Amino acid sequence: MPVLSNYKVLLSCASLCGLLLLGACSSVPRDIQPSENEPVTRTRSSNSVAQLLRRADSARGNNAAALLLQAAQLMYEQSQTTEADLLLASINMNGLDADTGADILLFRAEIAQEQDEPRQVLDLLQSSTIPALNSLDAAYQIRYHRLRAQA
């Protein structure tokens, strides 16, 4: 019988320790939780834009263009629409692969559409600006035709 009672005590202690561990893991310490007044996300995004721009400075071709596109997308998310469009317009499109070039032009067209500039949308999406449209993925073609139709 003494072995059985020791087993029950041991089982009770193990259960209590397990519950305490679960409780400790499920809550974040109060000093680590961000306050409501801290702009945590905005700071991270601003740093990310700056980091992407620095990385793009040392990159070339498609890599640089992709980094600049990511930076422009973050700027756009931060309501820096004009700055995002200027950054996209500064990208040298010569020699870019078809997907990267299409991403840049379609994003610029979406920004122009949002700014109620249908003429700019049509100028950006001329067949000469996206010569390999038929070879692009269907998602690009749909975006292209939707933007042109809405302009």
Side-chain angles (χ1 to χ4, degrees):
M1 272 309 202
V3 172
L4 185 58
S5 69
N6 286 343
Y7 176 74
K8 286 182 182 180
V9 170
L10 183 62
L11 185 61
S12 297
C13 287
S15 297
L16 181 61
C17 288
L19 288 174
L20 288 173
L21 284 173
L22 282 174
C25 292
S26 66
S27 64
V28 178
R30 289 186 186 156
D31 59 333
I32 293 177
Q33 293 176 345
S35 71
E36 291 178 18
N37 298 331
E38 292 180 28
V40 174
T41 305
R42 193 160 183 86
T43 303
R44 282 190 201 137
S45 295
S46 296
N47 289 337
S48 295
V49 168
Q51 290 170 352
L52 288 167
L53 292 174
R54 275 195 299 277
R55 288 175 49 204
D57 281 342
S58 61
R60 297 200 187 283
N62 283 323
N63 291 337
L67 291 166
L68 291 172
L69 175 61
Q70 289 176 16
Q73 289 168 335
L74 286 174
M75 290 174 159
Y76 178 80
E77 289 172 9
Q78 296 172 1
S79 299
Q80 298 174 356
T81 305
T82 303
E83 293 85 352
D85 190 44
L86 289 172
L87 180 60
L88 292 169
S90 73
I91 297 173
N92 182 358
M93 302 292 283
N94 294 330
L96 296 181
D97 66 47
D99 287 350
T100 303
D103 278 330
I104 292 166
L105 287 172
L106 290 170
F107 189 42
R108 285 192 68 201
E110 288 168 346
I111 290 172
Q113 183 182 43
E114 181 183 290
Q115 294 177 334
D116 198 26
E117 296 179 13
R119 181 78 248 158
Q120 185 178 0
V121 172
L122 294 174
D123 289 345
L124 287 166
L125 299 180
Q126 294 177 12
S127 59
S128 61
T129 59
I130 306 182
L133 180 65
N134 292 332
S135 66
L136 292 173
D137 187 58
Y140 288 109
Q141 294 179 33
I142 291 168
R143 281 174 65 195
Y144 172 86
H145 292 294
R146 180 185 49 83
L147 285 164
R148 284 191 56 84
Q150 291 173 346

PDB file of all heavy atoms in Angstrom, residues 52-53 55-70 87-88 90-104:
ATOM      1  N   LEU A  52      15.523  47.562 -47.401  1.00  0.00           N
ATOM      2  CA  LEU A  52      15.336  47.126 -48.787  1.00  0.00           C
ATOM      3  C   LEU A  52      16.029  48.080 -49.760  1.00  0.00           C
ATOM      4  O   LEU A  52      16.650  47.643 -50.731  1.00  0.00           O
ATOM      5  CB  LEU A  52      13.850  47.023 -49.119  1.00  0.00           C
ATOM      6  CG  LEU A  52      13.114  45.853 -48.469  1.00  0.00           C
ATOM      7  CD1 LEU A  52      11.610  46.018 -48.602  1.00  0.00           C
ATOM      8  CD2 LEU A  52      13.566  44.535 -49.079  1.00  0.00           C
ATOM      9  N   LEU A  53      15.946  49.373 -49.487  1.00  0.00           N
ATOM     10  CA  LEU A  53      16.595  50.347 -50.360  1.00  0.00           C
ATOM     11  C   LEU A  53      18.121  50.206 -50.312  1.00  0.00           C
ATOM     12  O   LEU A  53      18.789  50.300 -51.342  1.00  0.00           O
ATOM     13  CB  LEU A  53      16.171  51.767 -49.986  1.00  0.00           C
ATOM     14  CG  LEU A  53      14.701  52.108 -50.256  1.00  0.00           C
ATOM     15  CD1 LEU A  53      14.366  53.488 -49.722  1.00  0.00           C
ATOM     16  CD2 LEU A  53      14.377  51.998 -51.729  1.00  0.00           C
ATOM     17  N   ARG A  55      19.765  47.430 -49.591  1.00  0.00           N
ATOM     18  CA  ARG A  55      20.100  46.180 -50.290  1.00  0.00           C
ATOM     19  C   ARG A  55      19.993  46.354 -51.799  1.00  0.00           C
ATOM     20  O   ARG A  55      20.798  45.813 -52.547  1.00  0.00           O
ATOM     21  CB  ARG A  55      19.199  45.050 -49.807  1.00  0.00           C
ATOM     22  CG  ARG A  55      19.542  44.595 -48.392  1.00  0.00           C
ATOM     23  CD  ARG A  55      18.591  43.550 -47.851  1.00  0.00           C
ATOM     24  NE  ARG A  55      18.358  42.437 -48.743  1.00  0.00           N
ATOM     25  CZ  ARG A  55      17.271  41.667 -48.709  1.00  0.00           C
ATOM     26  NH1 ARG A  55      16.317  41.903 -47.817  1.00  0.00           N
ATOM     27  NH2 ARG A  55      17.134  40.667 -49.539  1.00  0.00           N
ATOM     28  N   ALA A  56      18.994  47.120 -52.249  1.00  0.00           N
ATOM     29  CA  ALA A  56      18.825  47.352 -53.685  1.00  0.00           C
ATOM     30  C   ALA A  56      19.994  48.146 -54.259  1.00  0.00           C
ATOM     31  O   ALA A  56      20.370  47.940 -55.421  1.00  0.00           O
ATOM     32  CB  ALA A  56      17.511  48.081 -53.950  1.00  0.00           C
ATOM     33  N   ASP A  57      20.580  49.047 -53.459  1.00  0.00           N
ATOM     34  CA  ASP A  57      21.730  49.830 -53.928  1.00  0.00           C
ATOM     35  C   ASP A  57      22.909  48.944 -54.299  1.00  0.00           C
ATOM     36  O   ASP A  57      23.665  49.272 -55.213  1.00  0.00           O
ATOM     37  CB  ASP A  57      22.172  50.837 -52.859  1.00  0.00           C
ATOM     38  CG  ASP A  57      21.288  52.068 -52.827  1.00  0.00           C
ATOM     39  OD1 ASP A  57      20.566  52.318 -53.815  1.00  0.00           O
ATOM     40  OD2 ASP A  57      21.304  52.777 -51.804  1.00  0.00           O
ATOM     41  N   SER A  58      23.063  47.839 -53.589  1.00  0.00           N
ATOM     42  CA  SER A  58      24.206  46.970 -53.866  1.00  0.00           C
ATOM     43  C   SER A  58      23.855  45.800 -54.790  1.00  0.00           C
ATOM     44  O   SER A  58      24.729  45.025 -55.154  1.00  0.00           O
ATOM     45  CB  SER A  58      24.799  46.440 -52.551  1.00  0.00           C
ATOM     46  OG  SER A  58      23.835  45.675 -51.860  1.00  0.00           O
ATOM     47  N   ALA A  59      22.596  45.701 -55.181  1.00  0.00           N
ATOM     48  CA  ALA A  59      22.167  44.612 -56.073  1.00  0.00           C
ATOM     49  C   ALA A  59      22.130  45.106 -57.512  1.00  0.00           C
ATOM     50  O   ALA A  59      22.259  46.294 -57.784  1.00  0.00           O
ATOM     51  CB  ALA A  59      20.803  44.093 -55.642  1.00  0.00           C
ATOM     52  N   ARG A  60      21.923  44.182 -58.428  1.00  0.00           N
ATOM     53  CA  ARG A  60      21.875  44.524 -59.857  1.00  0.00           C
ATOM     54  C   ARG A  60      20.678  43.829 -60.527  1.00  0.00           C
ATOM     55  O   ARG A  60      20.208  42.802 -60.071  1.00  0.00           O
ATOM     56  CB  ARG A  60      23.148  44.065 -60.559  1.00  0.00           C
ATOM     57  CG  ARG A  60      24.395  44.739 -60.071  1.00  0.00           C
ATOM     58  CD  ARG A  60      25.495  44.617 -61.121  1.00  0.00           C
ATOM     59  NE  ARG A  60      26.771  45.103 -60.668  1.00  0.00           N
ATOM     60  CZ  ARG A  60      27.094  46.384 -60.575  1.00  0.00           C
ATOM     61  NH1 ARG A  60      26.224  47.290 -60.881  1.00  0.00           N
ATOM     62  NH2 ARG A  60      28.286  46.753 -60.158  1.00  0.00           N
ATOM     63  N   GLY A  61      20.228  44.411 -61.620  1.00  0.00           N
ATOM     64  CA  GLY A  61      19.230  43.791 -62.480  1.00  0.00           C
ATOM     65  C   GLY A  61      17.937  43.411 -61.789  1.00  0.00           C
ATOM     66  O   GLY A  61      17.336  44.208 -61.073  1.00  0.00           O
ATOM     67  N   ASN A  62      17.514  42.171 -62.010  1.00  0.00           N
ATOM     68  CA  ASN A  62      16.254  41.678 -61.446  1.00  0.00           C
ATOM     69  C   ASN A  62      16.244  41.727 -59.930  1.00  0.00           C
ATOM     70  O   ASN A  62      15.211  42.022 -59.322  1.00  0.00           O
ATOM     71  CB  ASN A  62      15.993  40.240 -61.900  1.00  0.00           C
ATOM     72  CG  ASN A  62      15.493  40.173 -63.311  1.00  0.00           C
ATOM     73  OD1 ASN A  62      14.735  41.022 -63.751  1.00  0.00           O
ATOM     74  ND2 ASN A  62      15.921  39.162 -64.035  1.00  0.00           N
ATOM     75  N   ASN A  63      17.385  41.427 -59.303  1.00  0.00           N
ATOM     76  CA  ASN A  63      17.446  41.448 -57.839  1.00  0.00           C
ATOM     77  C   ASN A  63      17.195  42.854 -57.310  1.00  0.00           C
ATOM     78  O   ASN A  63      16.423  43.036 -56.366  1.00  0.00           O
ATOM     79  CB  ASN A  63      18.788  40.917 -57.348  1.00  0.00           C
ATOM     80  CG  ASN A  63      18.950  39.443 -57.608  1.00  0.00           C
ATOM     81  OD1 ASN A  63      17.982  38.713 -57.765  1.00  0.00           O
ATOM     82  ND2 ASN A  63      20.193  38.989 -57.679  1.00  0.00           N
ATOM     83  N   ALA A  64      17.838  43.845 -57.907  1.00  0.00           N
ATOM     84  CA  ALA A  64      17.636  45.228 -57.474  1.00  0.00           C
ATOM     85  C   ALA A  64      16.191  45.654 -57.705  1.00  0.00           C
ATOM     86  O   ALA A  64      15.567  46.269 -56.833  1.00  0.00           O
ATOM     87  CB  ALA A  64      18.597  46.153 -58.208  1.00  0.00           C
ATOM     88  N   ALA A  65      15.647  45.316 -58.875  1.00  0.00           N
ATOM     89  CA  ALA A  65      14.267  45.691 -59.198  1.00  0.00           C
ATOM     90  C   ALA A  65      13.278  45.038 -58.236  1.00  0.00           C
ATOM     91  O   ALA A  65      12.322  45.682 -57.791  1.00  0.00           O
ATOM     92  CB  ALA A  65      13.948  45.308 -60.640  1.00  0.00           C
ATOM     93  N   ALA A  66      13.505  43.777 -57.903  1.00  0.00           N
ATOM     94  CA  ALA A  66      12.602  43.079 -56.974  1.00  0.00           C
ATOM     95  C   ALA A  66      12.649  43.713 -55.592  1.00  0.00           C
ATOM     96  O   ALA A  66      11.612  43.864 -54.929  1.00  0.00           O
ATOM     97  CB  ALA A  66      12.969  41.597 -56.904  1.00  0.00           C
ATOM     98  N   LEU A  67      13.838  44.119 -55.140  1.00  0.00           N
ATOM     99  CA  LEU A  67      13.959  44.778 -53.836  1.00  0.00           C
ATOM    100  C   LEU A  67      13.289  46.144 -53.848  1.00  0.00           C
ATOM    101  O   LEU A  67      12.613  46.522 -52.882  1.00  0.00           O
ATOM    102  CB  LEU A  67      15.435  44.905 -53.443  1.00  0.00           C
ATOM    103  CG  LEU A  67      16.136  43.594 -53.107  1.00  0.00           C
ATOM    104  CD1 LEU A  67      17.655  43.790 -53.065  1.00  0.00           C
ATOM    105  CD2 LEU A  67      15.630  43.033 -51.784  1.00  0.00           C
ATOM    106  N   LEU A  68      13.445  46.891 -54.930  1.00  0.00           N
ATOM    107  CA  LEU A  68      12.786  48.188 -55.035  1.00  0.00           C
ATOM    108  C   LEU A  68      11.267  48.028 -55.093  1.00  0.00           C
ATOM    109  O   LEU A  68      10.532  48.831 -54.514  1.00  0.00           O
ATOM    110  CB  LEU A  68      13.294  48.937 -56.269  1.00  0.00           C
ATOM    111  CG  LEU A  68      14.750  49.401 -56.194  1.00  0.00           C
ATOM    112  CD1 LEU A  68      15.212  49.945 -57.542  1.00  0.00           C
ATOM    113  CD2 LEU A  68      14.945  50.428 -55.088  1.00  0.00           C
ATOM    114  N   LEU A  69      10.798  46.990 -55.766  1.00  0.00           N
ATOM    115  CA  LEU A  69       9.356  46.715 -55.808  1.00  0.00           C
ATOM    116  C   LEU A  69       8.830  46.416 -54.407  1.00  0.00           C
ATOM    117  O   LEU A  69       7.780  46.925 -54.014  1.00  0.00           O
ATOM    118  CB  LEU A  69       9.070  45.554 -56.757  1.00  0.00           C
ATOM    119  CG  LEU A  69       7.625  45.064 -56.830  1.00  0.00           C
ATOM    120  CD1 LEU A  69       6.683  46.165 -57.300  1.00  0.00           C
ATOM    121  CD2 LEU A  69       7.521  43.847 -57.741  1.00  0.00           C
ATOM    122  N   GLN A  70       9.555  45.611 -53.652  1.00  0.00           N
ATOM    123  CA  GLN A  70       9.137  45.308 -52.274  1.00  0.00           C
ATOM    124  C   GLN A  70       9.107  46.576 -51.431  1.00  0.00           C
ATOM    125  O   GLN A  70       8.173  46.783 -50.639  1.00  0.00           O
ATOM    126  CB  GLN A  70      10.081  44.290 -51.644  1.00  0.00           C
ATOM    127  CG  GLN A  70       9.947  42.900 -52.196  1.00  0.00           C
ATOM    128  CD  GLN A  70      10.981  41.947 -51.599  1.00  0.00           C
ATOM    129  OE1 GLN A  70      11.599  42.235 -50.579  1.00  0.00           O
ATOM    130  NE2 GLN A  70      11.175  40.814 -52.247  1.00  0.00           N
ATOM    131  N   LEU A  87       9.322  55.756 -56.819  1.00  0.00           N
ATOM    132  CA  LEU A  87      10.340  54.713 -56.712  1.00  0.00           C
ATOM    133  C   LEU A  87      10.181  53.702 -57.847  1.00  0.00           C
ATOM    134  O   LEU A  87      11.162  53.320 -58.491  1.00  0.00           O
ATOM    135  CB  LEU A  87      10.247  54.008 -55.354  1.00  0.00           C
ATOM    136  CG  LEU A  87      11.246  52.890 -55.106  1.00  0.00           C
ATOM    137  CD1 LEU A  87      12.682  53.397 -55.188  1.00  0.00           C
ATOM    138  CD2 LEU A  87      10.987  52.249 -53.745  1.00  0.00           C
ATOM    139  N   LEU A  88       8.962  53.291 -58.121  1.00  0.00           N
ATOM    140  CA  LEU A  88       8.717  52.346 -59.218  1.00  0.00           C
ATOM    141  C   LEU A  88       9.109  52.948 -60.564  1.00  0.00           C
ATOM    142  O   LEU A  88       9.681  52.265 -61.417  1.00  0.00           O
ATOM    143  CB  LEU A  88       7.245  51.929 -59.234  1.00  0.00           C
ATOM    144  CG  LEU A  88       6.774  51.081 -58.062  1.00  0.00           C
ATOM    145  CD1 LEU A  88       5.258  50.964 -58.064  1.00  0.00           C
ATOM    146  CD2 LEU A  88       7.423  49.708 -58.093  1.00  0.00           C
ATOM    147  N   SER A  90      11.411  54.984 -61.136  1.00  0.00           N
ATOM    148  CA  SER A  90      12.867  55.124 -61.234  1.00  0.00           C
ATOM    149  C   SER A  90      13.568  53.818 -61.605  1.00  0.00           C
ATOM    150  O   SER A  90      14.766  53.825 -61.897  1.00  0.00           O
ATOM    151  CB  SER A  90      13.434  55.641 -59.906  1.00  0.00           C
ATOM    152  OG  SER A  90      13.404  54.619 -58.913  1.00  0.00           O
ATOM    153  N   ILE A  91      12.849  52.722 -61.595  1.00  0.00           N
ATOM    154  CA  ILE A  91      13.466  51.418 -61.892  1.00  0.00           C
ATOM    155  C   ILE A  91      13.753  51.306 -63.380  1.00  0.00           C
ATOM    156  O   ILE A  91      12.873  51.531 -64.219  1.00  0.00           O
ATOM    157  CB  ILE A  91      12.546  50.259 -61.431  1.00  0.00           C
ATOM    158  CG1 ILE A  91      12.349  50.308 -59.919  1.00  0.00           C
ATOM    159  CG2 ILE A  91      13.127  48.912 -61.860  1.00  0.00           C
ATOM    160  CD1 ILE A  91      11.339  49.314 -59.390  1.00  0.00           C
ATOM    161  N   ASN A  92      14.972  50.939 -63.699  1.00  0.00           N
ATOM    162  CA  ASN A  92      15.362  50.715 -65.095  1.00  0.00           C
ATOM    163  C   ASN A  92      14.769  49.374 -65.542  1.00  0.00           C
ATOM    164  O   ASN A  92      15.153  48.324 -65.059  1.00  0.00           O
ATOM    165  CB  ASN A  92      16.886  50.704 -65.210  1.00  0.00           C
ATOM    166  CG  ASN A  92      17.361  50.529 -66.632  1.00  0.00           C
ATOM    167  OD1 ASN A  92      16.571  50.384 -67.562  1.00  0.00           O
ATOM    168  ND2 ASN A  92      18.662  50.543 -66.807  1.00  0.00           N
ATOM    169  N   MET A  93      13.863  49.442 -66.488  1.00  0.00           N
ATOM    170  CA  MET A  93      13.140  48.243 -66.937  1.00  0.00           C
ATOM    171  C   MET A  93      13.920  47.425 -67.964  1.00  0.00           C
ATOM    172  O   MET A  93      13.550  46.293 -68.255  1.00  0.00           O
ATOM    173  CB  MET A  93      11.784  48.649 -67.533  1.00  0.00           C
ATOM    174  CG  MET A  93      10.882  49.414 -66.573  1.00  0.00           C
ATOM    175  SD  MET A  93      10.298  48.407 -65.216  1.00  0.00           S
ATOM    176  CE  MET A  93       9.035  47.486 -66.058  1.00  0.00           C
ATOM    177  N   ASN A  94      14.984  47.980 -68.499  1.00  0.00           N
ATOM    178  CA  ASN A  94      15.777  47.275 -69.523  1.00  0.00           C
ATOM    179  C   ASN A  94      16.435  46.040 -68.927  1.00  0.00           C
ATOM    180  O   ASN A  94      17.109  46.113 -67.909  1.00  0.00           O
ATOM    181  CB  ASN A  94      16.850  48.194 -70.111  1.00  0.00           C
ATOM    182  CG  ASN A  94      16.248  49.335 -70.887  1.00  0.00           C
ATOM    183  OD1 ASN A  94      15.169  49.205 -71.451  1.00  0.00           O
ATOM    184  ND2 ASN A  94      16.932  50.464 -70.911  1.00  0.00           N
ATOM    185  N   GLY A  95      16.234  44.923 -69.579  1.00  0.00           N
ATOM    186  CA  GLY A  95      16.893  43.688 -69.174  1.00  0.00           C
ATOM    187  C   GLY A  95      16.217  42.921 -68.052  1.00  0.00           C
ATOM    188  O   GLY A  95      16.723  41.886 -67.626  1.00  0.00           O
ATOM    189  N   LEU A  96      15.072  43.402 -67.557  1.00  0.00           N
ATOM    190  CA  LEU A  96      14.377  42.678 -66.491  1.00  0.00           C
ATOM    191  C   LEU A  96      13.639  41.483 -67.078  1.00  0.00           C
ATOM    192  O   LEU A  96      13.203  41.512 -68.233  1.00  0.00           O
ATOM    193  CB  LEU A  96      13.368  43.581 -65.782  1.00  0.00           C
ATOM    194  CG  LEU A  96      13.917  44.776 -65.017  1.00  0.00           C
ATOM    195  CD1 LEU A  96      12.772  45.535 -64.351  1.00  0.00           C
ATOM    196  CD2 LEU A  96      14.947  44.357 -63.995  1.00  0.00           C
ATOM    197  N   ASP A  97      13.478  40.436 -66.275  1.00  0.00           N
ATOM    198  CA  ASP A  97      12.685  39.313 -66.764  1.00  0.00           C
ATOM    199  C   ASP A  97      11.226  39.747 -66.863  1.00  0.00           C
ATOM    200  O   ASP A  97      10.809  40.744 -66.282  1.00  0.00           O
ATOM    201  CB  ASP A  97      12.866  38.069 -65.890  1.00  0.00           C
ATOM    202  CG  ASP A  97      12.335  38.226 -64.474  1.00  0.00           C
ATOM    203  OD1 ASP A  97      11.203  38.719 -64.303  1.00  0.00           O
ATOM    204  OD2 ASP A  97      13.045  37.836 -63.534  1.00  0.00           O
ATOM    205  N   ALA A  98      10.461  39.008 -67.640  1.00  0.00           N
ATOM    206  CA  ALA A  98       9.077  39.395 -67.951  1.00  0.00           C
ATOM    207  C   ALA A  98       8.209  39.511 -66.702  1.00  0.00           C
ATOM    208  O   ALA A  98       7.412  40.450 -66.583  1.00  0.00           O
ATOM    209  CB  ALA A  98       8.475  38.398 -68.930  1.00  0.00           C
ATOM    210  N   ASP A  99       8.365  38.592 -65.754  1.00  0.00           N
ATOM    211  CA  ASP A  99       7.532  38.627 -64.546  1.00  0.00           C
ATOM    212  C   ASP A  99       7.815  39.865 -63.696  1.00  0.00           C
ATOM    213  O   ASP A  99       6.886  40.524 -63.227  1.00  0.00           O
ATOM    214  CB  ASP A  99       7.748  37.368 -63.700  1.00  0.00           C
ATOM    215  CG  ASP A  99       7.124  36.127 -64.308  1.00  0.00           C
ATOM    216  OD1 ASP A  99       6.357  36.252 -65.281  1.00  0.00           O
ATOM    217  OD2 ASP A  99       7.406  35.025 -63.806  1.00  0.00           O
ATOM    218  N   THR A 100       9.089  40.167 -63.494  1.00  0.00           N
ATOM    219  CA  THR A 100       9.445  41.333 -62.674  1.00  0.00           C
ATOM    220  C   THR A 100       8.969  42.611 -63.344  1.00  0.00           C
ATOM    221  O   THR A 100       8.394  43.489 -62.689  1.00  0.00           O
ATOM    222  CB  THR A 100      10.966  41.378 -62.429  1.00  0.00           C
ATOM    223  OG1 THR A 100      11.377  40.154 -61.819  1.00  0.00           O
ATOM    224  CG2 THR A 100      11.347  42.536 -61.526  1.00  0.00           C
ATOM    225  N   GLY A 101       9.186  42.722 -64.644  1.00  0.00           N
ATOM    226  CA  GLY A 101       8.719  43.900 -65.366  1.00  0.00           C
ATOM    227  C   GLY A 101       7.208  44.047 -65.299  1.00  0.00           C
ATOM    228  O   GLY A 101       6.690  45.151 -65.103  1.00  0.00           O
ATOM    229  N   ALA A 102       6.498  42.946 -65.449  1.00  0.00           N
ATOM    230  CA  ALA A 102       5.036  42.984 -65.370  1.00  0.00           C
ATOM    231  C   ALA A 102       4.573  43.373 -63.972  1.00  0.00           C
ATOM    232  O   ALA A 102       3.642  44.167 -63.822  1.00  0.00           O
ATOM    233  CB  ALA A 102       4.454  41.628 -65.767  1.00  0.00           C
ATOM    234  N   ASP A 103       5.221  42.830 -62.946  1.00  0.00           N
ATOM    235  CA  ASP A 103       4.863  43.199 -61.570  1.00  0.00           C
ATOM    236  C   ASP A 103       4.974  44.703 -61.360  1.00  0.00           C
ATOM    237  O   ASP A 103       4.087  45.332 -60.773  1.00  0.00           O
ATOM    238  CB  ASP A 103       5.768  42.482 -60.563  1.00  0.00           C
ATOM    239  CG  ASP A 103       5.324  41.069 -60.257  1.00  0.00           C
ATOM    240  OD1 ASP A 103       4.109  40.800 -60.314  1.00  0.00           O
ATOM    241  OD2 ASP A 103       6.189  40.242 -59.942  1.00  0.00           O
ATOM    242  N   ILE A 104       6.061  45.277 -61.843  1.00  0.00           N
ATOM    243  CA  ILE A 104       6.294  46.709 -61.656  1.00  0.00           C
ATOM    244  C   ILE A 104       5.254  47.529 -62.416  1.00  0.00           C
ATOM    245  O   ILE A 104       4.633  48.438 -61.859  1.00  0.00           O
ATOM    246  CB  ILE A 104       7.733  47.077 -62.093  1.00  0.00           C
ATOM    247  CG1 ILE A 104       8.737  46.437 -61.123  1.00  0.00           C
ATOM    248  CG2 ILE A 104       7.923  48.593 -62.155  1.00  0.00           C
ATOM    249  CD1 ILE A 104      10.168  46.442 -61.606  1.00  0.00           C
TER     250      ILE A 104
END
